Amino acid sequence: MELRINEQMHRIDQEWKAESLLFFMREALGLCGAKYGCGVGLCGACTVLVDGEATRSCMTPVASMIGKAITTIEGLSKPDARLHPVQQAWLDESVAQCGYCQSGQIMATVALLRKTPNPSDADITQALDGQLCRCGTYDRIRRAVRRASEATR
Amino acid sequence: MKRRGFLAASGALTVSFLAGCGSLPVIPKRPKPNAADALSWIRFENTRYTLFVPRVEMGQNIATALKQIAGDELGVDWALLDVKLHDTRSIGRVRATVGSESIKDFAVPLAQACATLRDALARRERTGNLTVIERPFSELRAFAPRTRYVGQRTDIEQSMAIVRGLPLYASDVRRESMLYGRVLRAPVSPELVSRPVTWNSEAAKKLPGFVAIVEHVLLQQGASLGLGIVASTPGALDRIEAALAIKWHTEGTFSQQTIDAGIDVDRRISGGALSHHVINNAIEPPTQWDVDLRIDVPLAAHAPIEPRAAVAEMDQTGALHMWVGSQDVFYQRDVIAKRLSIAIEKVIVHGQRVGGAFGGKTICTVELEAAVLATQIKRAVKVQWTRAQEFGFAFHRPPSSHRIRANVVDGKIDQWWHSFVSSHILFTNAVLPQWIQRFTDYIGDDGVARGATLAYNARKKRTEFDLQRVPVFTGPWRGLGAGPNLLAIESAIDECARAAKIDPVTFRINNVSDARLARAVAKVAEASRKQPMARASDARFKRGRGVACGIYKSMSYAAVIAEVETEVTSGKTRLVKLWCSHDCGKIVNPDQVRAQCEGNIVWGIGMVFSDRLPIENSHVAARTFLDAPIPKMSDMPALEILLIDEGEPPTGAGETVIVAAAGAIANAIREATGVRINRFPLDPQLLRA
Ligand code: FES
Ligand code: FES
């Protein structure tokens, strides 16, 4: 059993086969960008892309992911290369406070801009309304989405 | 009431009746930072400087602000200055990161230490220890009129790691052959005595990933004795928990009504005078009060997106290493060392970036659980609370109940009488047993009183409160008492303005007792006037604007104006726009002060529309964000934030706007609909026409 994450194949050892994608990535592989916030699909901190779709990895059994292409925040850009436009927009707008929710926010935004490169305010709210941020960075997230959208156009 | 801090108050208690008792709670130490301590925060080695941030980083981005100060004082390039979070060995003890005091109290000592280091390097001293020679504030370069970093927007420390998803938080820590732990507790408030009685070990042992069941007296939190489980993968913990099917022994019960009755202010008032006074002028009751208002604010969660987490590991030398996401790294060390009877120098606590805390990550909970499990199993163990554990076992914002009576003569407040009941904040029941609280109750609770001092002139003022232990844990929540107290006060001030038939902005400017507060109100009013209120789109909607203002900890000032639109048929209210003015004296990083204003505004939105934890079956009934929602992007209005900086000494920004955001929204709803919200969060049904 192997999983394709960020263009790399990863073996799933027996003991991890019954785990969620989130725990497998974080604990078995050390890809800890996606976070645990609620475990039941209600906060979005664990959001990754599965075949390009924003997906809550806390609710996704690792075994159901065979044959899919998973992208995490670590796979958005190479460590020494330029940032993905969404990452860059997040820096330019100084979005993060505690930062814990932001990997999920960024991944949900990447998924949004793939489908809707020029989103309206309503599109942004609809795509990100389930991505909770207790620090209250929503205004900046919105600005960063717009900035990233302009940069990718 | 005298202003006394936790340490002073409890320090006295320690001497008088706590001495020599082994199982007593560990009280956090609150040393005042000085320049000599600050020398341990800054080091020079091989052409580079390292700043050990003496504060916990939890999103206030204090690491960045202190780096700005160090950079200017040292006169060095941003790129030569490395920033590290502290552990209990890298710097001397510092107090908890609470109360928006990191700039006010740590900036100057840091600058003094940096100046000393800079001068030593200029003398070509390269090694050895230095002694600080304190210089006058006016000679510190970080606070000079022209600076390279202070006062500017800068790159944010750790933000690159955040956007790349690199490990920063306690929950991200991984150690060699690490295991995963959880401490299961009876589904009742930890204020009630409970313990596991029977459980099905056989069923649990058969499960893949099972490692151990840990019974240990130290797995106690409050009156709840837990049962530890350890697994080789985190997901196995859920399966083991289900298979164990633990039967619990619990003692006592309570309901929502128990709590509501306990803090019901009118019941207290009918029983006579309240015990604690913020100010105590003799009131001359008029035949009728112009304003007589009851405001109730419920129990509410911090709901940081990171549930608390800790990793513990014993090394070969017998030292216990802890990685924590806590507001007080040294307190964690003290508690773990005492509880586990390990020498204090053998407990090394590494502070990690905290995924939101808001006052809630100040005591030792998950850290002790991880330490016990790791030392029992003799492997590294990570424990991260589930969301349900966060709601069920953490402490929360106390419920409070307020009665405010006032009368107005000639546009001025004549008499003001604010009575309220709350459960404890600084002397939290999550740490202190009831018998100790009986002593602390003589002192009061400065956390509960925070923000209750009226910032308006009145001929007679009386502000008094009672403390009531409730059967759920309550403690510090962003701004402590200031959020609820000012929500109540600013609601009543608005009614005073109505009674005086003066518009609420003018009424405030005329009556506030502090010129800086008046300035904040004037500025925000001026900004909002530039954009006159649009008419409601049609007759189905009503619009209104409201204002509120306040002073935080006698140091920082905020005023907010909110515009709302309420749908008449449903009572649904939408925030259209919020204007906010903020004055924390000299600003180190304007963009980040703004960020703190934005965050507090969102907290104000939560206070009005959603913050509440329901109680059922002697327990906080919330298990998920569905049961205890927090604001979402769709709740956000347009924002306009004005920073006021007229060169006064720097204070703090982390909690200030909590004093005004909720009040402005409530007052805007009053203006739009005629309905004064007496009970938070708002029930939209009440606004239906
Ligand atoms: S952790 Fe997956 S949605 Fe909250
Ligand atoms: S930045 Fe802290 S939760 Fe979003």
Side-chain angles (χ1 to χ4, degrees), chain B residues 115-167:
Chain B
T116 302
L117 177 60
R118 178 193 68 218
D119 292 352
L121 292 173
R123 292 191 304 268
R124 299 180 181 284
E125 290 174 35
R126 285 288 182 274
T127 53
N129 289 326
L130 298 169
T131 315
V132 180
I133 299 151
E134 292 202 37
R135 58 206 74 207
F137 182 78
S138 57
E139 284 175 26
L140 292 172
R141 296 181 189 173
F143 305 103
R146 236 183 290 278
T147 39
R148 198 161 151 206
Y149 305 117
V150 170
Q152 309 297 318
R153 184 172 191 270
T154 61
D155 290 345
I156 303 295
E157 272 307 300
Q158 297 192 327
S159 59
M160 183 62 89
I162 289 171
V163 303
R164 287 193 182 278
L166 303 181

Side-chain angles (χ1 to χ4, degrees), chain A residues 95-102 105 132-137, chain B residues 305 355-356 358:
Chain A
V95 173
Q97 289 190 32
C98 84
Y100 195 78
C101 72
Q102 299 297 346
Q105 309 280 4
L132 299 181
C133 173
R134 186 53 161 161
C135 297
T137 63
Chain B
I305 303 299
F358 315 112

Side-chain angles (χ1 to χ4, degrees), chain A residues 35-39 41-46 56 58:
Chain A
K35 305 292 188 224
Y36 169 88
C38 71
L42 290 171
C43 75
C46 63
R56 302 207 154 172
C58 69

Side-chain angles (χ1 to χ4, degrees), chain B residues 86-89 320 322 324 329 332-333 347-351:
Chain B
H86 66 268
D87 63 44
T88 47
R89 286 199 298 205
L320 181 65
M322 304 278 313
V324 303
V329 170
Q332 298 300 345
R333 176 192 68 179
V347 179
I348 298 125
V349 182
H350 307 263

